[in-house]
Amino acid sequence: MRRHHRSFVAHLTAVLAGLGLLVAPPLAGVAAAAGAAAYVQGTAFTTAARVASTTAPLAGAVGAGDLLVGWFAQYNAAGQVQVSDDVNGPWTRASGATAFQNDTGDIALYYLPNSKAAAGGLHVTVSAGAAAYFQGALAEYSGVAVSGPLDQVGSNRGVGTAVDTGPAPAVPAGELVFSALVTGGNPSGTSPGSGYTARAHTGTGSAFAEDVLSSTAGAQHGTATLGAATDWYAVAATFRAATPADT
């Protein structure tokens, strides 16, 4: 029986290859998905005036099954900030939202698991119920679980140069840690926290993203250092790594 099964598989493989329908060995995608998380691309943005919405492009190709995640803020408008893209539609709002120091506006983590492939990139639209000032930093990752990837979220706000979200609940080793911040001023640069790799940022560092691709076990802090003291709003979120079930 095993001999016949292997013979059938070999015959089917040959037929598919002849038709140009077999572009990778069987299960190659599973092996890639089960690896560690990898940073693909990211961007950061801020608007200088109140607008109805703003668009942040991810210009490079977006891979099928990848995670899209960002920290988004709207100021000077009522209601929640909204996030979607032109390939997948609305993103999921996570817990841990906060507001500016005067308790107005909205700052929240949004993410999109298991993205559709987009060879030409995609555009992320950030909007609110009325014209507002918008800020944010976002990124794309491969090697993250496609179903239920978000594990823990922690956020905080403060004033000064030292950014620290405080500890998000403990997670096992090997998870992606995404951390980002927005500020109410122009901090003249932002440096990543210990163990983090800097990713997307605006010119002044007023919106900034960093990550740890494979966490150590335990509680996770999002930390950074601003170039000048200002009010800041930061998040640390952990995402489960892909498994062989993520095809």
Side-chain angles (χ1 to χ4, degrees):
M1 178 65 75
R2 289 179 180 175
R3 187 182 302 114
H4 290 309
H5 174 72
R6 286 195 293 268
S7 176
F8 171 76
V9 171
H11 173 70
L12 180 60
T13 300
V15 170
L16 291 173
L19 293 173
L21 299 177
L22 188 64
V23 296
L27 301 184
V30 175
Y39 172 77
V40 178
Q41 60 182 323
T43 190
F45 64 91
T46 185
T47 62
R50 293 174 63 201
V51 293
S53 65
T54 191
T55 300
L58 289 177
V62 174
D66 283 2
L67 169 75
L68 309 179
V69 58
W71 184 233
F72 302 93
Q74 67 87 354
Y75 182 73
N76 204 223
Q80 295 181 345
V81 63
Q82 302 292 324
V83 182
S84 63
D85 72 70
D86 58 348
V87 173
N88 300 284
W91 291 20
T92 299
R93 182 183 175 97
S95 61
T98 187
F100 288 89
Q101 290 289 347
N102 60 2
D103 292 323
T104 64
D106 181 51
I107 310 168
L109 183 85
Y110 277 84
Y111 68 103
L112 189 289
N114 195 19
S115 176
K116 297 175 183 176
L122 53 76
H123 292 82
V124 179
T125 298
V126 186
S127 60
Y133 297 96
F134 295 102
Q135 288 177 280
L138 59 144
E140 174 193 357
Y141 295 92
S142 62
V144 179
V146 300
S147 178
L150 181 62
D151 192 351
Q152 302 292 342
V153 181
S155 65
N156 198 5
R157 65 184 186 181
V159 179
T161 59
V163 176
D164 191 340
T165 62
V171 298
E175 293 199 353
L176 166 68
V177 185
F178 172 83
S179 182
L181 64 89
V182 297
T183 74
N186 293 310
S188 302
T190 304
S191 302
S194 177
Y196 280 90
T197 299
R199 300 300 187 186
H201 61 84
T202 59
T204 65
S206 61
F208 175 83
E210 62 187 3
D211 61 46
V212 174
L213 294 177
S214 183
S215 66
T216 57
Q220 306 298 318
H221 287 247
T223 60
T225 302
L226 303 179
T230 187
D231 54 313
W232 54 261
Y233 313 87
V235 68
T238 62
F239 294 86
R240 300 176 180 91
T243 69
D246 294 314
T247 58

